[in-house]
Amino acid sequence: MAALVRPRDGRMIGGVCAALARRFSTSATTMRVIFVVSCLLPGPQFLIYLALWALLPSEKTASTAW
């Protein structure tokens, strides 16, 4: 499994769905559809997305990785 970091490429808003898709070896589009459908159900999905956006580190680029 890949590390859970928000990638620099493939982001739509915060990169949370792209990070989860990379972690679970699925496409980012599939993860985004799962998230949108889950928002139709009761629960704190949007708050979890915001928390992951704030807590997950961004992926380091080649120029910033020492």
Side-chain angles (χ1 to χ4, degrees):
M1 279 192 198
L4 195 55
V5 294
R6 293 182 298 122
R8 292 277 180 196
D9 57 337
R11 286 185 180 185
M12 290 294 268
I13 298 175
V16 174
C17 288
L20 291 172
R22 188 182 287 180
R23 172 70 177 208
F24 295 113
S25 301
T26 186
S27 73
T29 304
T30 302
M31 195 59 67
R32 289 180 186 116
V33 168
I34 290 170
F35 173 72
V36 169
V37 170
S38 75
C39 284
L40 299 175
L41 302 170
Q45 293 87 338
F46 190 71
L47 295 176
I48 291 171
Y49 183 92
L50 291 176
L52 287 173
W53 190 357
L55 296 174
L56 288 180
S58 271
E59 181 178 59
K60 295 189 184 325
T61 60
S63 62
T64 59
W66 284 53

